[in-house]
């Protein structure tokens, strides 16, 4: 009996089974890809985070400690890949004579790396000019002293030692200076230590001669550190677990060293920072992924429900012939199993296909098997529930004679009488206001503390809003359809012509079936719209962030000696250049604090880079306008304003190097505004002034940097600029892609792209399926009705009018309610997930192309449903016999 | 205009049966229906009555042979116009009221002039006047079949094909119902073909055709009705 039933269903009701199988496939594929993504995201973030750490541990020896003994403890405690000794010595200052002038600097440090250091830690030192061996001077120090390769400088040593002269062999950049010069052993919440302004890198032998025995350093002025690179293979994939593992190892080492050394754990610090990002990924999964899964399940239920009429009649016939409820449920379960297994196979095949090319999924292939097995079981449950729940309800509640009824009129549902939709929307508004107005933080991972927390209350508002909007869609669309008024007839008139009145009358009695289709379509469009807008806004902000770090699409970095601005004319002529603007990068003392000073043309800088309102205290246009109208104006950071208690209009005396004597001289500026961020600037403190004024007051209008806007391909522009500037190696060309990779080590653009690729693909499919598939299955179920219409004289065009009218209703209602709900949801998500954005967006970015494509797919799916399922001549007689 | 409404020549209808077989439902059927004819089509279940009605009404196409409708005016894309059909199974449009169902053929034909009053009169004639605003699901099987007959009669068909129209009626109601049908057709020149198992209905028709295993016997029948 079971096999016979299944064979019969497959032979005669294939579309019905295929519809449910498609729904299950969608659910399984989405669930599998999202789960794999979530698991893979953590592993990918950990891998990217640790790859950005140059020195895992910096072990600073206590004076008198035995370096060999410390190294031995290191070897036994951790899986060490490389250890190098680095020596530091404080110096009182440096001095250089050029022409008739003598330049001196303040205090600094002289360091020495042991042999093959740069092989194991290549990111620590970068040669800019001259030799990579011998005495090397840091770029900023070279600028301060106005020296280059071949020049002599005098080291003023601490501790009463006489000055010593050395010859400069090369100029270097120390990209990781913050870490390289940190003081290990500071308490976790201590203020960050600024790296020294003046640095000299000496060969180990020269350092020993100048600063004494390396193994017995003077505690007052010299230090020895062991720089350690660990093997990362044993680190857990999850960032939180990796953090716990790394910090545990560090504590274990500290116990083993027993007061011989203190440890700076750069690896642990980096993983500590990534933990919060990993939590944000989980939150994003919950915000963006869970609604998609819920929608896929609801769609499976709705699709199955759209063919419930036929099953109800079959069950009624079975009951008439004496089948007990148990037998009816078994037969339903058999059909459900067939649909589910087919859907699971198709869904898993899709997931495996995605596994191959969606970023963030392939990192996780090791645990894919177990995940896919669990997902398959979930798919089976969804399929069984979609069939058995309605079957059980029908078998219990519906009398046999009622089964043939196609128009079941019910009383107003309880939720409508209770106005639950409006109550949910009001509650959503309240929770949203409460969350967004109190400066909450949705994810909290306190620095150095293992425990983390997520404020799950933030999910309440969007969940209530989504549900409320779905119910409101059902209420409003149901009311419009059931009333059969002018709006309904006007809506379908273009496709029904003179039949509009009779078609509207027919539709008005099928309001509950149609509103289900409209609600599902609206939910799918809402989901697709909110995800797409959130994704577009995130990408736009990620680009702004990358542009902030890099300066512009492409930035040419030079020095005061070799300013990139000298090549401005050539750079402007490059084919890919849309705009190029010079920008000065100098240093200025604010009191005793050395800060970066950027000299710009406030009226033109916006042509070459994006200046968001979030960068300033006030709008970008206002603040830059004030700067432009105040020649001696300066923008300073909030930190500086607080430190020096500045008021707008105050005069600030900064000390800048003058090009004529290479000495620092005070220059008066007027404080006109606050800059929180600025392209290429560090986050903590910097200054922005008019380039013309800086040039006049320092005797040099050289622009060290050039910011360049591309016509659309930053990589191509960078390539062209590199080729153009190849004769001048110190000029460094950087494009926005490099910055994206750099900042991408935290909440990565790549990882989120994996999530949104999956989301956007599925949401477009679900939008199309919810409208097209449901309509098609509904049409197939009512083929006999359409055959009767044909038999009593309806021409093909008139038959199509009935179908098109349903399509128009579902598409129009779905798009109207879906877009409204989607845009509101996206706005809510962006507000609630402010922590993800850096800087916060000024407005939502709308992906018109995606939305257009998605709506096009939706309309195409409805058109396909009508065209493929409309009754064709010659088959009417067979269907007329069906009961 | 000729008196012959329908001519069927050597009509054969086969349906696929299983993967490779075919089920022959009609075998070389020849017949013609003249205007004003009253034909009872009888025969055992499964003999091919419904299939023949579908073919005569243009709802189906013969596998072999031909059917022409010389007396039923122009074809309306798919099938001849002026053919009314009453189906054996429920055939009302579930989302329309009784009155809307009855008016539907007129709306589809674009002939809604006076269709409303005609529909109301016909419903009254068939004792359905009080049901005009009801939905089909609120009707009994017999009421639904009578509504289907009213719908078939509304546009004044040249040929009315009825498949077991009294199958769900008690004998007295069936009698009254059939009287009304014949009254409505009286003087219109319309032909009536009724597939039926009801001997009283068949007895009131001028001609009896008998179907048996796909064969049609149109000669006067002398024996007991199969």
């Amino acid at each position: 009996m079971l096999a016979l039933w299944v064979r019969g269903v497959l032979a005669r009701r294939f579309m019905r089974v295929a519809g449910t199988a498609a729904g299950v496939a969608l659910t399984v594929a989405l669930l599998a890809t999202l789960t794999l993504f979530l698991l893979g995201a953590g592993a990918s973030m950990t891998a990217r985070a640790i790859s950005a750490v140059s020195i895992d541990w910096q072990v600073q020896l206590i004076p008198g400690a035995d370096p060999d003994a410390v190294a031995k403890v290191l070897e036994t405690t951790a899986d060490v890949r490389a250890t190098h000794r680095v020596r530091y010595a404080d110096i009182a200052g440096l001095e250089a004579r050029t022409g008739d002038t003598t330049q001196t600097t303040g205090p600094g440090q002289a360091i020495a790396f042991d042999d093959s250091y740069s092989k194991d830690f290549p990111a620590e030192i970068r040669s800019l000019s001259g030799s990579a061996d011998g005495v090397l001077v840091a770029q900023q120090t070279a600028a301060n002293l106005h020296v280059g390769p071949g020049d002599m400088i005098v080291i003023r040593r601490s501790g009463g030692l006489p000055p010593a002269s050395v010859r400069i062999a090369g100029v270097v950049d120390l990209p990781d200076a913050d870490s390289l010069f940190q003081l290990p052993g500071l308490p976790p919440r201590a203020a960050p230590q600024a790296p020294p302004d003046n640095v000299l890198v000496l060969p180990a032998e020269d350092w020993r001669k100048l600063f004494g025995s390396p193994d017995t350093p003077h505690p007052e002025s010299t230090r020895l550190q062991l720089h350690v690179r660990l093997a990362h293979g044993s680190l857990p994939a999850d960032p939180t677990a990796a953090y716990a593992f790394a910090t545990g190892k560090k504590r274990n080492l500290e116990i083993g060293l027993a007061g011989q050394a203190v440890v700076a754990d750069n690896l642990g610090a980096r993983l500590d920072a990534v933990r919060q990002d990993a939590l944000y990924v989980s939150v994003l999964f919950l915000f963006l992924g869970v609604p998609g899964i819920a929608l896929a399940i609801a769609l499976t239920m709705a699709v199955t429900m759209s063919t419930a009429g036929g099953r109800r009649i079959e069950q009624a016939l079975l009951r008439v012939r004496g089948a007990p409820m148990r037998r009816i449920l078994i037969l339903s379960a058999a059909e459900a199993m067939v649909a589910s297994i087919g859907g699971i196979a198709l869904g898993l095949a899709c997931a495996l296909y995605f596994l191959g090319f969606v970023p963030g999924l392939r990192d996780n292939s090791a645990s894919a098997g177990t995940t896919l097995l669990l997902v398959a079981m979930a798919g089976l449950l969804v399929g069984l529930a979609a069939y058995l729940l309605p079957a059980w309800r029908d078998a219990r509640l519906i009398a046999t004679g009622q089964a043939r009824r196609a128009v079941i009129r019910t009383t107003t549902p309880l939720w409508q009488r209770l106005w639950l939709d409006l109550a949910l929307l009001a509650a959503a508004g309240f929770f949203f206001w409460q969350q967004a107005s109190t400066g909450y933080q949705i994810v909290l991972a306190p620095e150095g503390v293992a425990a983390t927390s997520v404020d799950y209350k933030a999910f309440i508002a969007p969940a209530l809003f989504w549900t409320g909007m779905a119910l409101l869609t059902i209420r409003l669309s149901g009311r419009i359809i059931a009333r059969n008024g002018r709006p309904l007839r006007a809506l379908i008139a273009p496709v029904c012509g003179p039949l509009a009145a009779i078609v509207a009358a027919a539709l008005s009695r099928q309001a509950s079936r149609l509103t289900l289709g409209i609600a599902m379509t609206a939910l799918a469009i809402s989901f697709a719209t909110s995800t797409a807008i959130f994704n577009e806004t995130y990408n736009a902000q990620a680009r702004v962030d990358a542009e902030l770090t890099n300066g512009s699409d492409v930035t040419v970095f030079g020095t005061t000696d070799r300013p990139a601005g000298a090549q401005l004319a050539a750079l402007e002529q490059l084919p890919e250049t849309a705009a190029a603007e010079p920008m000065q990068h100098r240093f200025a003392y604010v009191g005793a604090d050395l800060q970066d000073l950027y000299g710009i043309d406030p009226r033109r800088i916006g042509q070459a880079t994006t200046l968001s309102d979030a960068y300033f205290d006030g709008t970008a246009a206002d603040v830059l306008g004030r700067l432009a109208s105040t020649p001696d104006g300066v923008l300073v950071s909030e930190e500086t304003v607080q430190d020096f208690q500045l008021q707008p209009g105050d005069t600030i005396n900064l000390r800048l190097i003058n090009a004529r004597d290479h000495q620092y001289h005070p220059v008066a500026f007027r404080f006109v505004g606050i800059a929180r961020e600025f392209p290429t600037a560090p986050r903590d403190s910097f200054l922005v002034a008019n380039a013309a004024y800086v040039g006049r007051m320092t005797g040099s209008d050289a622009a060290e940097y050039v910011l360049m806007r591309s016509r659309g391909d930053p990589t191509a522009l960078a390539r062209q600029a590199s080729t153009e500037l190849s004769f001048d190696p110190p000029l460094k060309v950087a494009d926005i892609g490099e910055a994206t990779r750099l900042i991408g080590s935290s909440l990565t653009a790549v990882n989120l792209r994996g999530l949104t690729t999956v989301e956007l693909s599925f949401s477009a499919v679900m939008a199309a399926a919810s409208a097209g598939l449901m309509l098609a299955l509904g049409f197939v179920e009512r083929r006999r009705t359409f055959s009767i219409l044909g038999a009593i004289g309806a021409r093909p065009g008139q038959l199509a009018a009935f179908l098109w009218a349903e399509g128009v209703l579902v598409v129009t209602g779905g798009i109207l309610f879906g877009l409204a709900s989607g845009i509101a949801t996206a706005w809510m998500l962006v507000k609630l997930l402010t922590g993800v954005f850096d800087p916060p967006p000024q407005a939502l970015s709308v992906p018109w192309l995606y939305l257009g494509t998605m709506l096009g797919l939706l309309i195409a799916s409805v058109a396909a449903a009508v065209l493929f399922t409309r009754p064709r001549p010659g088959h009417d007689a067979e269907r007329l016999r069906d009961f | 205009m000729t008196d012959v409404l329908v001519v069927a020549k050597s009509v054969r209808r086969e349906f696929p049966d299983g993967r490779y077989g075919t089920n022959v439902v009609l075998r070389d059927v020849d017949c013609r229906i003249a205007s004003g004819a009253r034909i009872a089509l009888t025969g055992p279940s499964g003999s091919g009555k419904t299939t023949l009605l579908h073919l005569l009404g243009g709802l189906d196409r013969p596998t072999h042979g031909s059917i022409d409708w010389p007396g039923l005016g122009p074809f309306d894309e798919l099938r001849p116009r002026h053919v009314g059909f009453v189906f054996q199974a429920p055939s009302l449009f579930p989302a329309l009221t009784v009155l809307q169902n009855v008016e539907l053929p007129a709306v589809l034909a674009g002939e809604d002039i006076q269709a409303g009053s005609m529909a109301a009169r016909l419903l009254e004639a068939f004792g359905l006047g009080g049901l005009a605003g009801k939905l089909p699901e609120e009707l009994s099987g017999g009421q639904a079949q009578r509504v289907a007959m009213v719908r078939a009669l509304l546009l004044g068909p040249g040929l009315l094909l009825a498949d077991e129209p009294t199958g769900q009626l008690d004998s007295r109601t069936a009698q009254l119902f059939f009287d009304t049908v014949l009254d409505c057709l009286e003087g219109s020149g319309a032909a009536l073909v009724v597939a039926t198992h009801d001997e009283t209905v068949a007895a009131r028709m001028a001609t009896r055709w008998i179907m048996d295993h796909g064969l049609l016997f149109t000669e006067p029948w002398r024996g007991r009705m199969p």
Side-chain angles (χ1 to χ4, degrees), chain A residues 42-319:
Chain A
S44 148
M45 290 177 82
T46 303
R48 291 168 66 88
I50 58 179
S51 73
V53 179
S54 176
I55 308 165
D56 291 332
W57 285 345
Q58 287 174 247
V59 182
Q60 182 160 305
L61 275 66
I62 302 297
D66 177 8
D68 292 331
V70 170
K72 199 169 178 183
V73 174
L74 259 173
E75 297 284 346
T76 54
T77 308
D79 191 0
V80 174
R81 262 182 55 189
T83 308
H84 287 276
R85 295 181 185 189
V86 181
R87 297 167 178 89
Y88 298 77
D90 295 333
I91 53 176
L94 297 166
E95 198 175 292
R97 190 174 179 79
T98 47
D100 296 335
T101 61
T102 302
Q103 292 82 45
T104 57
T105 72
Q109 289 197 30
I111 60 172
F113 303 113
D114 66 6
D115 292 341
S116 69
Y117 181 87
S118 10
K119 193 172 139 231
D120 287 321
F121 299 103
E124 293 302 313
I125 187 162
R126 187 168 69 93
S127 178
L128 292 179
S129 65
S131 170
D133 299 317
V135 177
L136 308 173
V137 65
Q139 180 185 15
Q140 176 55 37
T141 310
N144 289 344
L145 293 172
H146 208 65
V147 294
D151 292 337
M152 294 292 292
I153 60 170
V154 175
I155 306 170
R156 291 190 282 123
R157 292 184 286 177
S158 307
L161 294 169
S165 294
V166 291
R167 186 175 295 282
I168 302 297
V171 179
V172 294
D173 178 29
L174 301 169
D176 195 26
D178 285 344
S179 166
L180 186 64
F181 292 101
Q182 70 176 310
L183 288 174
L186 290 177
R189 289 172 190 277
Q193 300 294 304
D197 295 333
N198 301 293
V199 176
L200 207 57
V201 182
L202 299 173
E205 192 56 36
D206 290 1
W207 191 94
R208 265 190 222 102
K209 282 180 191 161
L210 291 173
F211 299 104
S213 167
D215 299 336
T216 53
H218 299 294
E220 67 277 15
S221 63
T222 62
R223 297 172 299 283
L224 173 63
Q225 283 187 8
L226 300 182
H227 288 189
V228 182
R229 171 160 284 252
L230 300 168
H232 295 148
S234 52
L235 273 178
D238 175 61
T240 305
Y243 167 75
F245 183 85
T247 48
K249 283 282 180 194
K250 177 229 173 187
R251 286 196 205 97
N252 190 255
L253 174 67
E254 284 175 334
I255 293 168
L257 291 173
Q260 295 180 74
V262 287
V263 182
D265 182 9
N266 300 329
L267 178 65
R270 186 76 191 96
L271 288 169
D272 194 7
V274 171
R275 283 185 311 151
Q276 183 155 318
D277 297 331
L279 281 176
Y280 263 120
V281 169
S282 304
V283 167
L284 282 172
F285 169 77
L286 290 171
F287 267 112
L288 301 179
V290 170
I293 293 166
L295 182 61
I297 293 172
L299 188 60
T300 308
M301 296 284 187
V303 162
T304 311
M305 202 183 289
S306 69
T307 58
R311 280 197 305 279
R312 204 173 286 141
I313 290 170
E314 290 164 5
Q315 286 162 17
L317 291 172
L318 285 168
R319 292 185 73 190

